[in-house]
Amino acid sequence: MNDAKYIQVIENIHKELMTSELSENIGLHAGTSGVALFLAYYDRIMLGKNEISPRVMEILEHNINQIDSGNGQHTICSGIAGFGWLCEHLRKLRMLNREDIEFLDDLDPFLYERMMIDIREGNYDYLHGALGVGMYFLSRFDKKTVPGYLNDLLVELEKSAIPCENDAVKWLSVLDRETGEKGYNISLSHGMSSIGALLIRLYQLNFETKKVNRLLVKNIMYILDQITYTQGSLSYFPSRSKENSSGNCYSRLGWCYGDLGIAHVLLQASDVLKNKDWENTALLILRHNCNRRDLSENAILDAGLCHGSAGISHIFLNLCLNTNIMEFRETSDYWLNITMQMEQNNGGLAGFKAWRTEEYGGPVKSDLLLDGIAGIGLVLLSYLKNNEIYWDECLMLS
């Protein structure tokens, strides 16, 4: 398929997002900040402009007004930490100046307080809890107060780590937000792989390296102990953990749960700690997942970033660029073609709908980063210009 088809879909997505209604949700993954992220990259890649457009400025001002009006949601997915991460990201892209985002200085103490409440309550969830705010503070590491904030988060992570066999550690978390069920989760979106991702980034910043190294090794040891693969298995890891899998020792193909996100963190950890055994295991798992191409079997029901075909394509593109393994590029191309096949004139936005069960109303229009057209658009832009993939830091891939 030639680039013209991808460009047309990008233009259709851009047209939708230029006029989409702005919600009260100002977060990155599930709110207006994700829309602004796509529009900013569209301007850079498609128009060659490295400045804030009127539409992006409209969204930034809308988000500030929401905060001023009392919107106190704090998470990276749905709140202020996500908006703050966007602002810092646009500054790093030199689309905003430091002076433009000085208002974040006033929000940092509130976000720190919320982060500490979350982590002390055991809510380390990346999308909906303490680690997402921690990732926001990582983007502001050069601020005087931030290292202290991150140290306090690290102390609480160490205190809440539960020792288990083989000198590994694990963390208890909420598995079902509706029922309050607790257990052990190894996923990248909500579980212990996101703890690993945060520790990796702290280590790269030379922050408390001995403590971080020790905790990261114990974290990876627990994750490796969760491998359930036997000959013929669909996946290497269960969705949550061996002890919380209800007899189902397999997982879907996607960013949120299962092999791809977990193995990606394992590969990152192998790189920073120079562990060849971890690298070999990660590549073995990822190569196995190159062959998982049955949509039904792997629960691929839409094109979104979180658990759809575009997200799978982007993960494998990221892997190819970091490893130069062309099998990953071929797999990325395969899932990008699947994404294009999912573009239908079915009343969706730019031809796409996000999957929902009938219980929740069935497939819906979504302009969001995580499950909607903003995320799909960013994947297509990254395919066109591989050296402009900075945005996926918010998925803990870069």
Side-chain angles (χ1 to χ4, degrees):
M1 188 176 294
N2 60 40
D3 290 352
K5 177 61 176 176
Y6 300 129
I7 291 171
Q8 184 59 59
V9 174
I10 290 168
E11 295 294 348
N12 293 342
I13 290 172
H14 180 258
K15 182 178 179 181
E16 293 278 8
L17 296 182
M18 285 295 287
T19 58
S20 61
E21 185 177 351
L22 301 181
S23 73
E24 294 180 0
N25 188 322
I26 66 171
L28 185 62
H29 301 83
T32 55
S33 293
V35 174
L37 185 65
F38 165 80
L39 293 171
Y41 271 88
Y42 174 92
D43 292 340
R44 282 174 64 89
I45 293 173
M46 303 300 291
L47 304 181
K49 294 182 177 180
N50 201 51
E51 58 192 36
I52 294 296
S53 68
R55 174 60 170 170
V56 173
M57 182 59 69
E58 177 190 4
I59 296 173
L60 299 182
E61 291 174 350
H62 165 85
N63 290 357
I64 292 171
N65 289 335
Q66 284 291 314
I67 297 170
D68 290 343
S69 298
N71 185 337
Q73 175 59 262
H74 66 285
T75 65
I76 195 168
C77 180
S78 302
I80 296 170
F83 174 45
W85 183 93
L86 169 72
C87 292
E88 280 289 357
H89 191 70
L90 294 179
R91 179 182 70 85
K92 289 171 184 174
L93 294 178
R94 299 184 178 179
M95 301 180 83
L96 288 175
N97 297 317
R98 190 176 294 277
E99 296 76 20
D100 297 326
I101 61 172
E102 285 182 343
F103 66 90
L104 293 177
D105 295 344
D106 297 326
L107 295 171
D108 283 354
F110 165 74
L111 289 173
Y112 166 73
E113 180 183 350
R114 293 302 312 172
M115 178 180 74
M116 296 309 293
I117 290 172
D118 279 342
I119 195 63
R120 287 170 179 155
E121 292 179 349
N123 178 17
Y124 66 81
D125 192 302
Y126 173 64
L127 291 178
H128 308 299
L131 291 190
V133 183
M135 289 292 281
Y136 158 71
F137 282 129
L138 279 175
S139 75
R140 288 170 64 74
F141 192 75
D142 58 346
K143 301 296 291 185
K144 183 177 180 180
T145 56
V146 165
Y149 293 165
L150 289 169
N151 184 67
D152 289 349
L153 175 61
L154 182 61
V155 167
E156 291 298 326
L157 276 174
E158 190 171 39
K159 284 167 59 176
S160 59
I162 300 170
C164 46
E165 295 179 1
N166 304 323
D167 201 31
V169 295
K170 60 185 177 181
W171 284 266
L172 188 68
S173 65
V174 173
L175 299 178
D176 189 319
R177 298 176 73 201
E178 292 186 5
T179 67
E181 175 194 358
K182 290 189 175 182
Y184 301 99
N185 187 335
I186 58 172
S187 73
L188 183 55
S189 55
H190 307 295
M192 286 175 240
S193 291
S194 63
I195 294 177
L198 181 83
L199 294 172
I200 288 165
R201 285 150 181 78
L202 290 173
Y203 190 86
Q204 289 171 321
L205 290 167
N206 294 314
F207 183 81
E208 295 289 343
T209 51
K210 289 184 179 179
K211 182 186 294 186
V212 169
N213 186 323
R214 182 174 65 252
L215 206 55
L216 178 57
V217 169
K218 292 173 180 288
N219 169 267
I220 295 297
M221 288 175 67
Y222 179 80
I223 289 172
L224 287 172
D225 191 50
Q226 303 311 300
I227 291 176
T228 56
Y229 180 82
T230 58
Q231 187 66 34
S233 293
L234 181 65
S235 64
Y236 270 75
F237 291 100
S239 286
R240 293 172 174 174
S241 64
K242 287 194 292 192
E243 57 196 299
N244 289 111
S245 294
S246 303
N248 296 323
C249 290
Y250 61 88
S251 53
R252 72 185 309 156
L253 193 64
W255 170 78
C256 50
Y257 282 91
D259 290 5
L260 292 187
I262 298 168
H264 202 292
V265 170
L266 180 57
L267 191 62
Q268 292 177 44
S270 75
D271 182 52
V272 298
L273 297 187
K274 308 305 178 188
N275 190 307
K276 194 66 177 179
D277 288 340
W278 293 356
E279 178 185 358
N280 291 338
T281 300
L283 292 177
L284 178 69
I285 294 167
L286 292 165
R287 284 191 162 107
H288 168 80
N289 280 268
C290 287
N291 298 315
R292 295 176 63 183
R293 299 192 176 185
D294 184 295
L295 273 65
S296 176
E297 184 178 56
N298 293 295
I300 312 302
L301 301 167
D302 65 19
L305 266 185
C306 183
H307 46 253
S309 58
I312 300 168
S313 175
H314 186 75
I315 290 171
F316 278 109
L317 175 61
N318 175 289
L319 289 166
C320 177
L321 295 174
N322 285 307
T323 66
N324 293 316
I325 295 174
M326 296 314 297
E327 183 180 3
F328 294 153
R329 182 60 189 245
E330 188 275 330
T331 305
S332 174
D333 290 347
Y334 172 83
W335 286 108
L336 198 63
N337 286 331
I338 294 295
T339 300
M340 300 303 289
Q341 292 171 26
M342 289 188 175
E343 181 216 3
Q344 304 291 334
N345 294 316
N346 58 5
L349 297 180
F352 296 98
K353 281 190 175 181
W355 183 81
R356 299 284 190 281
T357 63
E358 292 303 319
E359 176 187 3
Y360 292 96
V364 298
K365 297 178 181 179
S366 174
D367 60 2
L368 304 176
L369 174 73
L370 202 58
D371 68 0
I373 59 172
I376 296 168
L378 281 164
V379 169
L380 293 172
L381 288 171
S382 299
Y383 175 83
L384 292 181
K385 197 162 185 181
N386 295 169
N387 63 346
E388 285 281 355
I389 304 178
Y390 311 116
W391 63 268
D392 65 5
E393 177 189 336
C394 72
L395 299 176
M396 296 177 286
L397 298 177
S398 295

